[in-house]
Amino acid sequence: MDPVDPVDEEAARLYRAKVWGGADRTLWRTQVDGTVGTRLRELADWAESSGHGEGPLDTYGDGLVEELERRVAEELGLPAAVFFPTGTMAQQVALRCWAGRTGSPVVALHPLAHPEVHEGGALAAVSGLRTVHPTDAPRLPTAEEVRDHPEPFGTLMLELPLRDAGFVLPSWEELTAVVEAARERDAVVHFDGARLWECPTHFGRTLAEIAGLADSVYVSFYKSLGGHSGAVLAGPEDVMAEARVWRHRYGGQVFQQYPAALSALRGLDEQLPRLPSYVTHARVVAAAVREALAEAGTGWFRVHPETPHTHQFQVWLPYDADRLTAASLAQAEATGTVLFRRWFTPGAGGPPGVAVTELTVAGPGLEWTTEDVRAAVREFMSRLD
């Protein structure tokens, strides 16, 4: 097969973004929907309405950035917080700080966790850390697996939810048992909470109760809260003081970050209170997708988890990924409705001959009824005949 021309692929990506972003009806809007002008105007309007419009600009992490750090520390019930330009940097720093305190460069985490799959081996290449895997099952490790792991480790990192396994979460009892198992081994616990904001509904606990189980927590602003970029690392004051030193060393002491900080504060005000409704409606959408696919006579398919743990879940179908993506695009072009977006061939461990996509239910999706979802699935499937 001839290699894909990167210029053509970039043109195709931009075209997909234009079609999906310009659709009249969708379950969610992504961070690349819209234009520079519309996004900046929306943020400026919110700054004025919230009282931030006449405030001073930040310089090297003061002002709005400090306000955001205080707000997140309060939401998570943790002593201190530090803003980072990226989550990758925040977690590099967190795990490096804990390695210095525990005397162990070994981090136990899932092989599907973000640092293992999406960061190019950065933990080892940049920070000299080594990883071990208590389990390779498509779920977070159990207390027994943590307790019985044959190698010593200084930090247990848990991604909540585990995105690449289908945005899955353990039960509250399982989570507390895993944390206790790590404590029994004198290990510290770090939560990769990029999507922690939407976990309270599943656990039946507040953000502070969830975060309170861990020694440190990272949260993202653009994944669930609609922020432009940025992340916060929260935890004990002495660890966060060291984290500020490493942030500078890693190149994260950015001169001004007020657009990112403003958009994060806006997300905390506008999106965070709505996330429970998104999670609840995602369960309605998932059930409707499952019913419509069964009625369509698709044969094998999978909606995973059957009852979503957050406002995001996976759909698997027995077709080529490019064919499914083309059908998704054609549906949006013809009807102005976006149900699915891009499809992917699963990595190692996935069954052959299938493709997977991720569905997110956010504000726009609350307007979709069960029949709306079923009708959109039927229309989409008709494009595969």
Side-chain angles (χ1 to χ4, degrees), residues 278-316:
Y278 300 168
V279 177
T280 299
H281 200 59
R283 297 169 180 173
V284 175
V285 172
V289 170
R290 189 170 57 250
E291 292 163 3
L293 289 175
E295 291 170 0
T298 315
W300 184 91
F301 69 88
R302 187 182 188 193
V303 174
H304 176 68
E306 283 197 7
T307 300
H309 298 171
T310 72
H311 71 316
Q312 298 177 286
F313 59 95
Q314 295 177 336
V315 179
W316 297 64

Side-chain angles (χ1 to χ4, degrees), residues 191-262:
F191 285 171
D192 175 341
R195 297 172 173 84
L196 191 74
W197 307 114
E198 58 263 34
C199 292
T201 300
H202 173 81
F203 287 129
R205 298 294 192 281
T206 65
L207 278 169
E209 287 175 302
I210 300 168
L213 294 178
D215 295 284
S216 60
V217 178
Y218 138 68
V219 290
S220 174
F221 297 117
Y222 77 86
K223 293 181 173 67
S224 305
L225 299 184
H228 289 182
S229 62
V232 153
L233 177 66
E237 290 184 2
D238 62 327
V239 181
M240 295 304 101
E242 183 186 357
R244 292 182 187 279
V245 175
W246 282 110
R247 178 180 66 182
H248 195 173
R249 290 171 175 163
Y250 275 74
Q253 190 79 347
V254 180
F255 177 55
Q256 288 188 320
Q257 302 189 89
Y258 62 90
L262 264 177

